[in-house]
Amino acid sequence: MISTLLPRSSGVDGDRAPRLLYGADYNPEQWSRSVWEEDVRLMRKAGVNVVSVGIFSWARLQPAEDTWDFGWLDEVLDLLHAGGIGVDLATATASPPPWLTTAHPEILPVTADGGTLWPGARQHWRPTSPVFRAHALRLVRELATRYADHPALVAWHVSNELGCHNVYDFSDDAARAFRHWLRARYTTLEGLNSAWGTAFWSQHYTDWEQILPPRQAASHPNPTQQLDFKRFSSDALKEHLRAEREILREITPDVPVTTNFMVMGNTKGMDYPDWAQEIDFVSNDHYVHPGPQDRDELSFSANLTSGIAGGRPWFLMEHSTSAVNWQPVNVAKRPGDLARDSLLHVAHGADAVCYFQWRQSAAGAEKYHSAMVPHAGEDSELFRSVAELGSTLKALAPVAGSEREAARVGILYDWDSWWASEQDSHPSALLDYRQEALDWYSALLALGVRADLVTTRSDLHRHQVLVAPVLHVVPADLAKTLTRYTEQGGHLITTYFSGVVDEHDHVWLGGYPGALRDLLGIRIEEFGPLLDGDTVELDDGTAGSLWSDRIDVAAGTDVLARYRTGVHAGRAAVTRKASGTGSAAYVSTRLGVEGLTSLLPRLLAPAGVESELPSEARGSVETTVRSGPGGRFLFLVNRTDTAVPVPGLTGDVLLGATEGDDGALVLGPRAVAVLRQPAG
């Protein structure tokens, strides 16, 4: 679908064959009309074929409650259409205008300690405010009605980065909506009291009106209340997404609807696998966070976005051409990083590559954020790189529409476990769910083993090996699914603090790891978290941190490694138990990338999984595969700053590889190559 998001009619670029899309957020309201025609000229020079328009333009479109100004937007859309550029039109509801917050301050979010988030930035609205909802939907209806038949319109962009700054609101509106959500979930107060364990600390509720969001309290709030509030907050934003979407579908049923997710870093408030069911195609924003795993994290996030999209193509709505403005130190990208970062997203299923933003702002909070047209203008190395990437994406048109080919290894990423495992009053506040998953991913990259990020909504049986790090929340049905997975030949690998609680955050009794205890063939009586900086050595030469477990091993369970030091010296650290025609393994400490890279070959061996790459390229090159009617597309991404030979690989070179003296393909430093191979 994404590759065919093209203007419905145009005298320019009439070819409507599938292609990769290329563009940016375009904010013409920041500039005088004299700049607009120049923008379209430069867009065509750069190969831009789609832009998102109107994202933060509510105050311009509706300067007063009963005053509308669409003339400037009409002109912009007409200019873009004349230039053959499609428009992903935003509903402009991301930031309410000053007149609305002045007239209705009751739409402003409230923090856990009762403070108000005031206007002056963006997203200063309550997801559950009926007043905000009414005004926002009025704007959506006006936009949809006016532009329903505009030929430039190719997609609708609901709000922008929903929940980026306002996912958790503790206002009275939120309290009422939370109670309504809880009634639907539990039906009766008896059900809620049971699920929340309110016998503890005298929290038993006798009336729905007694229930509040987990506002600032004297001590640790009820953990199930906290978990349910996270679920509710995600659902509240999802309901707003649905409300806007329904108006758009009513008026423009043939125009697809999306909203931009933020699958990156520690953005965890929105349950994106759940949200993905509500939109016509998945879109994502991603920004590189400098650090030792920066490009691994980029790959991880793009891979997870593909998993959320069910392997189907998705839309990279925002990333940066170079530096951002919101990190403590905003480092410019090195030469070649602009293309490598963008193509790595394409490798993981993106059919559109877009940036924030088209023209770098001269004023405002993001004026130092890079753009496709920098402050230096057209005559700049950055713009020349932008135009070069446009040509590259045009050459990669055959890739458009292809889907991710399943890898033999899957890494299970679970939002409930992410939320619950990092709550307060736990064995260790140092646990980092996403970092543990990223470490496993980096270790697989270091071995040259292709892996997919998947969710509990995925078909887990597609993967011969399933890594489930810190799978803390395991409802009974998931435990049965994982048992069936191993009995039918799958190989499960899980870690410390997994299988401990059910969906209500109640501990599975009888010893840890609770719901997975029998499957793993181990029993743990008490957790052994480690102090910050403490480590334990294993007898396989690796070292663990953060966590250790005193494991009792059941008959039939193999010990793959033991603790050599620490209070559990001599006891099991890594175990594996055969189950049906598969197996289930347990890693009881945080080994980090280096330790996991050492351990993984033994964990992968029962499934016969190893790298598909020649030995010369393992660890230096990342591979992904997309398949479709146009063939099988093998992406090769050089993870290093030096050239890497990749002998033995065949296919038509669409991009990026040269031939060495021995005839083998060679990847340049930080280069991306694409080989087209026969389908099937």
Side-chain angles (χ1 to χ4, degrees), residues 251-518:
I251 298 172
T252 57
D254 297 326
V255 179
V257 178
T258 192
T259 192
N260 45 339
F261 296 170
M262 295 171 288
V263 181
M264 60 176 168
N266 204 36
T267 303
K268 64 180 180 180
M270 290 66 71
D271 184 354
Y272 290 135
D274 178 45
W275 287 26
Q277 320 306 311
E278 307 297 335
I279 50 182
D280 294 312
F281 58 89
V282 167
S283 299
N284 192 52
D285 294 353
H286 184 273
Y287 293 95
V288 173
H289 290 69
Q293 291 174 274
D294 52 4
R295 264 60 190 190
D296 288 0
E297 194 284 326
L298 187 160
S299 174
F300 180 97
S301 293
N303 195 322
L304 181 55
T305 304
S306 179
I308 291 168
R312 294 178 293 277
W314 51 276
F315 196 120
L316 178 60
M317 191 71 75
E318 288 184 26
H319 68 312
S320 65
T321 56
S322 190
V324 298
N325 68 291
W326 41 265
Q327 294 171 351
V329 178
N330 296 292
V331 180
K333 291 185 177 182
R334 298 174 297 174
D337 281 353
L338 181 152
R340 191 267 301 271
D341 291 354
S342 300
L343 293 172
L344 188 48
H345 287 286
V346 175
H348 284 286
D351 265 9
V353 171
C354 293
Y355 296 97
F356 179 84
Q357 59 180 322
W358 164 249
R359 182 179 287 276
Q360 191 170 9
S361 300
E366 294 181 301
K367 61 181 175 290
Y368 296 120
H369 192 296
S370 61
M372 296 179 83
V373 180
H375 289 151
E378 177 182 4
D379 184 15
S380 63
E381 187 60 37
L382 195 151
F383 184 77
R384 285 187 284 273
S385 296
V386 163
E388 183 179 353
L389 178 60
S391 298
T392 297
L393 293 174
K394 188 173 183 179
L396 289 179
V399 174
S402 60
E403 299 188 0
R404 181 174 72 177
E405 183 176 290
R408 297 186 67 191
V409 178
I411 299 177
L412 183 60
Y413 203 86
D414 177 54
W415 255 253
D416 267 0
S417 291
W418 193 7
W419 288 338
S421 66
E422 295 184 1
Q423 291 194 154
D424 54 37
S425 193
H426 274 197
S428 176
L430 303 177
L431 187 148
D432 186 330
Y433 177 88
R434 197 176 199 273
Q435 184 61 53
E436 181 66 29
L438 177 57
D439 283 353
W440 283 88
Y441 188 74
S442 289
L444 288 162
L445 288 176
L447 293 169
V449 174
R450 188 160 55 94
D452 295 336
L453 270 293
V454 297
T455 73
T456 53
R457 295 174 180 267
S458 307
D459 178 7
L460 305 182
H461 292 269
R462 299 181 70 194
H463 308 281
Q464 285 75 49
V465 176
L466 184 66
V467 182
V470 194
L471 188 62
H472 184 61
V473 179
V474 180
D477 286 348
L478 179 56
K480 292 176 182 176
T481 296
L482 294 175
T483 299
R484 189 163 53 249
Y485 168 80
T486 59
E487 289 175 346
Q488 295 175 358
H491 298 274
L492 174 69
I493 304 168
T494 191
T495 73
Y496 60 91
F497 215 36
S498 292
V500 176
V501 299
D502 65 10
E503 66 272 26
H504 301 307
D505 203 14
H506 291 196
V507 171
W508 288 103
L509 301 178
Y512 315 121
L516 303 177
R517 187 175 60 243
D518 293 339

Side-chain angles (χ1 to χ4, degrees), residues 587-630:
V587 180
S588 64
T589 186
R590 183 181 178 217
L591 293 174
V593 177
E594 184 177 350
L596 292 174
T597 303
S598 174
L599 174 65
L600 263 167
R602 283 184 289 161
L603 296 179
L604 298 175
V609 172
E610 57 184 23
S611 177
E612 303 162 290
L613 285 167
S615 58
E616 298 92 329
R618 294 178 185 178
S620 299
V621 175
E622 174 183 353
T623 62
T624 67
V625 180
R626 296 182 60 171
S627 297

Side-chain angles (χ1 to χ4, degrees), residues 55-136:
I55 293 171
F56 294 110
S57 61
W58 191 345
R60 286 289 305 272
L61 293 169
Q62 190 183 11
E65 183 167 0
D66 294 314
T67 304
W68 300 92
D69 180 9
F70 292 108
W72 67 273
L73 186 56
D74 294 347
E75 187 175 347
V76 168
L77 265 60
D78 289 346
L79 281 169
L80 291 167
H81 177 62
I85 299 163
V87 172
D88 168 47
L89 186 57
T91 57
T93 56
S95 287
W99 65 261
L100 179 54
T101 53
T102 300
H104 296 285
E106 68 272 21
I107 74 171
L108 298 172
V110 175
T111 61
D113 61 0
T116 297
L117 296 181
W118 295 100
R122 63 178 191 174
Q123 283 195 331
H124 40 280
W125 54 276
R126 302 175 185 177
T128 57
S129 167
V131 175
F132 176 80
R133 180 75 57 87
H135 283 275

